[in-house]
Amino acid sequence: MNNFSLNKYHTYIFFGLSVIFAFINFTLNLEYISIICFFLISTIGVSHGALDHEKGKKIIKLFKLKKIELFYLAYVSLSLIIILLWSIAPIITLIIFLIVASYHFGKEDSVFGEIKYNYFSNVLFFFKGSIVVLAPLYFSQEETFEIFKILNANINPISQDFLLTLILLSLLSNFLLKKNILIHSIDTLSIIIINWAFSPLVAFTIYFCFLHSIRHSFSLIYEINKKNFKKGSNLFIKKALPLTMLTGLLFLISLYVLNNYFLLNSAILKVIFIGLASLTFPHILLEYLLEKNEKKS
């Protein structure tokens, strides 16, 4: 099965499960839900970036450096800078993170099939991925802003009409991408459904772990072994497991420390979103540098 077929079936399955769980819409204690979301994001969610150290080796060769430690130093330093910036200017950092994350989600969720990359497609990727941010703001604005407050970012309410306009633009971007319109549109519809049915944290966890992370992992597995998905999966797990476990441990330690100063639910939200922001920026920069080099070669 090729990468396109795999992602096609994954899209259909994710959509079907989204509809089923949306109508079941079971409720659990807030802290239990937060703990479950924390566990899923710190394992399944972060695993799709767990091969960054392998990509770092390519970057070291690209810049003709000899020590891989330089890559780790740069990666960790950028992560720490993001955390520092969040403590200094949380609102600005949050807005930049949401913009960058929207582009990242739109681009990475379109990794299958043939898409001609240009400046216009980058704009479309941003609008496509923005549904991940727009949907919770539209369906659960009060809860979403409460999360922002916990992250030390107080933002003024946003007009529902304005949000709806942006959501329509996000839907339109799927058609303008031209390739795989049905799959892209179903993905967007799935995200809308889970945000209609669930709280922002639960909806984001479902999307991030079971659509975004799995889809990106599929592309990494396909890169490892284009002919045998099973062998590629086994090798991917072996390579991704160490960094995934390390990241999960760091998330857990951060939660333990923050829980001494904040309520458990607030500490979990801080670790999830600020932690993901600190990982997203170096991850995206790494992808950009490799992609830029591939275009030159």
Side-chain angles (χ1 to χ4, degrees):
M1 185 181 295
N2 60 36
N3 195 32
F4 173 76
S5 298
L6 195 62
N7 280 287
K8 180 177 69 173
Y9 290 123
H10 171 243
T11 289
Y12 296 154
I13 292 170
F14 183 81
F15 174 75
L17 291 175
S18 297
V19 172
I20 292 170
F21 283 112
F23 281 100
I24 295 174
N25 200 0
F26 52 87
T27 56
L28 290 173
N29 178 276
L30 178 62
E31 286 193 354
Y32 288 154
I33 279 287
S34 298
I35 291 171
I36 292 171
C37 291
F38 174 82
F39 173 76
L40 290 172
I41 288 173
S42 61
T43 53
I44 297 173
V46 302
S47 64
H48 74 282
L51 293 188
D52 280 3
H53 63 298
E54 295 288 333
K55 296 176 181 178
K57 294 176 183 177
K58 296 180 181 178
I59 290 294
I60 290 296
K61 291 181 180 179
L62 174 64
F63 287 96
K64 298 178 180 179
L65 301 173
K66 295 181 179 180
K67 295 184 178 180
I68 188 65
E69 288 81 6
L70 293 173
F71 164 74
Y72 293 128
L73 178 62
Y75 198 98
V76 172
S77 296
L78 183 54
S79 295
L80 293 175
I81 288 172
I82 298 303
I83 295 173
L84 178 63
L85 287 175
W86 203 299
S87 64
I88 296 172
I91 295 178
I92 295 174
T93 309
L94 172 65
I95 292 172
I96 293 173
F97 171 56
L98 294 178
I99 292 172
V100 171
S102 294
Y103 170 77
H104 173 66
F105 291 147
K107 187 173 185 294
E108 295 298 324
D109 291 346
S110 307
V111 292
F112 57 91
E114 297 178 0
I115 294 176
K116 292 182 178 179
Y117 295 97
N118 52 47
Y119 290 110
F120 183 61
S121 64
N122 287 330
V123 174
L124 295 178
F125 289 144
F126 166 76
F127 277 109
K128 172 180 166 56
S130 67
I131 191 66
V132 180
V133 176
L134 297 171
L137 284 171
Y138 184 79
F139 291 106
S140 308
Q141 184 164 153
E142 188 174 333
E143 287 182 75
T144 304
F145 277 20
E146 188 61 36
I147 292 175
F148 290 167
K149 286 181 182 179
I150 291 172
L151 300 176
N152 300 323
N154 292 317
I155 298 177
N156 294 325
I158 303 173
S159 165
Q160 291 292 93
D161 291 338
F162 178 65
L163 288 171
L164 183 58
T165 301
L166 293 178
I167 288 174
L168 292 175
L169 287 174
S170 182
L171 286 166
L172 179 62
S173 68
N174 295 315
F175 294 88
L176 296 178
L177 281 170
K178 296 181 181 179
K179 295 290 184 178
N180 312 315
I181 294 173
L182 178 61
I183 295 177
H184 292 314
S185 300
I186 292 175
D187 284 343
T188 299
L189 186 57
S190 297
I191 294 168
I192 290 173
I193 289 171
I194 59 177
N195 277 279
W196 166 75
F198 299 106
S199 68
L201 177 60
V202 174
F204 175 76
T205 301
I206 293 171
Y207 160 76
F208 186 69
C209 295
F210 302 109
L211 197 158
H212 178 70
S213 184
I214 287 181
R215 175 158 297 169
H216 190 63
S217 295
F218 282 163
S219 68
L220 293 173
I221 291 169
Y222 188 69
E223 286 179 17
I224 291 172
N225 194 322
K226 293 181 173 62
K227 296 181 179 179
N228 192 314
F229 181 78
K230 185 177 180 180
K231 288 183 179 180
S233 298
N234 291 334
L235 189 54
F236 169 75
I237 292 171
K238 288 179 181 178
K239 288 185 174 184
L241 193 58
L243 205 54
T244 300
M245 292 178 65
L246 177 60
T247 305
L249 179 61
L250 290 173
F251 270 43
L252 195 59
I253 293 172
S254 301
L255 178 61
Y256 175 79
V257 173
L258 288 176
N259 195 33
N260 292 320
Y261 304 95
F262 303 97
L263 295 174
L264 179 60
N265 187 55
S266 297
I268 286 174
L269 289 170
K270 286 178 181 291
V271 174
I272 286 176
F273 291 106
I274 298 177
L276 286 181
S278 70
L279 295 175
T280 297
F281 282 92
H283 175 71
I284 291 176
L285 179 59
L286 179 60
E287 296 282 350
Y288 169 77
L289 291 173
L290 287 175
E291 184 180 310
K292 187 176 181 181
N293 180 61
E294 287 174 359
K295 288 180 180 178
K296 287 182 178 180
S297 57

